[in-house]
Amino acid sequence: MLRYVEEPEKVRLALSPIRRRLLELLREPSSATQLAAALDLPRQRLNYHLRELEKAGLVELVEERRRRGFTERILRASASLVVDPAVMGRAFTEIQDQYAAEHLVEVAAGTVRDVARMQSAADADGKRLLTFTVEAEVRFAEPGDVHRFTDALTEAVRGVVEEFDSEGGRPYRLIAGGHPAPRRTEGET
């Protein structure tokens, strides 16, 4: 069975590496326990991804079985996905990439390269390169909070950009990235 998908959010949900693998494995009905063993992942993490796929209608319940005092849910992919080509345009690529570590590293490397070159040119001209940095740390209670935070931050930045963007003004590039903070040892600040 094929399922035509034109909603970018549903496509984004299906394209994360772990979810792509889950959808592939769920071509055949399986339980969370079986999937956790196959992927060598903790069940709690796996269940989070399964719930998200189920909410999006990409995974469906096939049956429930009673096992040693709990109910085992057997799931399968609801269909093979056919994605509307328009969804795969530039805007979606940016949405999908915003959660990829590789994309963050690529953007950070490009930023270092560009700023270093401009700083060298500014130094050679005896000028100051005007930049700004915003840095913060946030603690997410649930994995899904990262996506909600990113969506809210995107909307907030869009509003501020619209307020200050001026035709003919000097263009600035704004980059916001997030990654897990390194664990600090006792005594570090």
Side-chain angles (χ1 to χ4, degrees):
M1 181 169 146
L2 296 177
R3 177 164 181 209
Y4 179 73
V5 181
E6 58 185 332
E7 302 92 353
E9 182 63 20
K10 286 189 181 179
V11 176
R12 185 191 61 75
L13 276 170
L15 284 183
S16 78
I18 188 170
R19 292 180 184 165
R20 280 194 320 254
R21 184 74 178 117
L22 282 170
L23 289 170
E24 182 182 315
L25 290 171
L26 285 169
R27 288 180 185 157
E28 296 295 324
S30 191
S31 70
T33 302
Q34 293 166 321
L35 293 166
L39 296 173
D40 194 30
L41 288 172
R43 268 203 49 186
Q44 183 178 11
R45 181 172 172 209
L46 184 92
N47 279 328
Y48 165 75
H49 291 289
L50 288 173
R51 281 192 304 274
E52 292 297 307
L53 288 170
E54 198 170 6
K55 279 194 285 190
L58 301 173
V59 169
E60 63 188 7
L61 180 66
V62 174
E63 70 176 289
E64 292 182 327
R65 301 176 187 156
R66 294 291 299 159
R67 294 250 195 230
R68 293 182 241 132
F70 71 95
T71 302
E72 181 180 55
R73 301 177 79 233
I74 307 299
L75 303 165
R76 75 168 166 225
S78 57
S80 294
L81 302 179
V82 176
V83 178
D84 183 325
V87 174
M88 299 307 286
R90 183 171 171 7
F92 177 73
T93 301
E94 290 170 2
I95 292 169
Q96 189 257 337
D97 281 346
Q98 75 184 357
Y99 298 108
E102 295 84 4
H103 185 66
L104 177 59
V105 169
E106 183 181 312
V107 169
T111 301
V112 169
R113 181 186 62 245
D114 293 346
V115 172
R117 286 177 181 162
M118 289 185 287
Q119 181 64 52
S120 292
D123 288 345
D125 292 343
K127 296 182 179 175
R128 182 169 178 244
L129 180 66
L130 183 59
T131 64
F132 61 92
T133 304
V134 177
E135 187 176 349
E137 187 169 306
V138 60
R139 294 176 187 93
F140 299 110
E142 300 290 330
D145 291 348
V146 173
H147 299 294
R148 288 191 300 282
F149 175 84
T150 303
D151 292 344
L153 182 60
T154 299
E155 284 306 309
V157 169
R158 182 175 295 135
V160 173
V161 167
E162 285 175 3
E163 180 181 341
F164 286 90
D165 189 39
S166 174
E167 185 83 26
R170 175 133 199 256
Y172 267 69
R173 185 171 182 215
L174 173 66
I175 301 162
H179 59 84
R183 295 202 188 280
R184 293 190 171 100
T185 59
E186 200 171 305
E188 260 187 298
T189 56

